[in-house]
Amino acid sequence: MFGVEFDVHMSSDGELVVIHDETIDRTSNGMGFIKDMTLEDLKQFDYGGWFSPEFRGETIPTLSEVLDIFQPTELILNIELKSDVFPYNGMVEKVLAMISKKQMEECVILSSFDHSAIQLVKKLAPQIETAALFMEVLVHPLDYIRSLPTNALHVFFPTAVRPSLKEIYEAEVPVRAFTVNEPEQAKTLKQAGVQAIFTDFPEKMASLLNNQ
């Protein structure tokens, strides 16, 4: 099964936008925090020219626009709620409402380093799959994810092979590792029991893992 991962922030006027950073500085020809600009403000800048002349003129996409693109496909969508730096009050509710409106509840996973957001998702929409994101080495991870609760664990790839995760694998809780771009890393993670990986090179990694 293949999927796409992307991040969601919220503008000053409450619009959901798909972008990685809290600011537009790195990936546009503008500057500033997303939280301080309206959607109209954000749409004025070029988000493609920095990457390649081919994409010059691309504007920041809204979550609604992105969901419309993937709605006809069979891809799993991992939507990361980027409220771990700024709280984005009301973002969880807006994301859930958008997913419900598009009738895409069965094909999304909501993940976040903001575990309070994961708790709220489970309270408001327990049917939607969630994943707690971690960079750290975990102690008693099974107790923690059951207390949140959450369905899965998304971890920085070195963490996925630590002894403390043995109880997670034994409990058959899905573990997915990020960001895995080297074949040897992918092989090691597959042997450890990781269910899926996040990668910048999906075609290369799919070919590698399918031939194992």
Side-chain angles (χ1 to χ4, degrees), residues 35-187:
K35 69 179 182 65
D36 295 332
M37 290 183 276
T38 65
L39 179 61
E40 183 179 359
D41 295 333
L42 292 165
K43 286 282 190 181
Q44 294 176 3
F45 300 104
D46 173 11
Y47 294 79
W50 69 274
F51 185 75
S52 168
E54 178 185 355
F55 301 109
R56 186 173 290 118
E58 289 291 336
T59 60
I60 192 169
T62 64
L63 177 60
S64 178
E65 290 167 344
V66 172
L67 292 181
D68 284 343
I69 291 171
F70 290 110
Q71 194 173 36
T73 76
E74 296 182 356
L75 292 170
I76 298 296
L77 304 183
N78 187 125
I79 303 172
E80 182 179 342
L81 307 173
K82 293 296 284 283
S83 53
D84 50 306
V85 176
F86 300 116
Y88 294 133
N89 186 40
M91 184 171 76
V92 167
E93 292 89 340
K94 287 177 178 286
V95 170
L96 291 175
M98 182 66 66
I99 292 169
S100 177
K101 179 181 178 181
K102 305 287 187 182
Q103 298 182 327
M104 297 179 72
E105 293 176 324
E106 294 184 1
C107 65
V108 301
I109 301 169
L110 296 183
S111 66
S112 187
F113 285 103
D114 176 6
H115 297 170
S116 64
I118 295 300
Q119 284 184 318
L120 185 55
V121 170
K122 276 303 177 196
K123 178 181 179 181
L124 298 178
Q127 73 278 13
I128 291 182
E129 183 174 351
T130 61
L133 277 159
F134 282 94
M135 290 289 293
E136 305 84 1
V137 176
L138 304 177
V139 177
H140 305 305
L142 189 58
D143 290 342
Y144 181 73
I145 65 172
R146 283 175 172 171
S147 69
L148 271 177
T150 188
N151 301 103
L153 197 61
H154 290 182
V155 297
F156 185 45
F157 69 85
T159 304
V161 295
R162 296 296 291 248
S164 60
L165 256 67
K166 182 181 178 181
E167 63 182 22
I168 294 288
Y169 294 125
E170 291 177 346
E172 299 184 345
V173 174
V175 176
R176 306 175 183 113
F178 63 89
T179 300
V180 183
N181 290 331
E182 297 299 327
E184 289 305 315
Q185 295 171 351
K187 291 177 185 177

Side-chain angles (χ1 to χ4, degrees), residues 9-17 33-42 88:
H9 292 265
M10 195 163 73
S11 66
S12 64
D13 54 343
E15 296 292 336
L16 302 170
V17 292
F33 287 97
I34 293 160
K35 69 179 182 65
D36 295 332
M37 290 183 276
T38 65
L39 179 61
E40 183 179 359
D41 295 333
L42 292 165
Y88 294 133

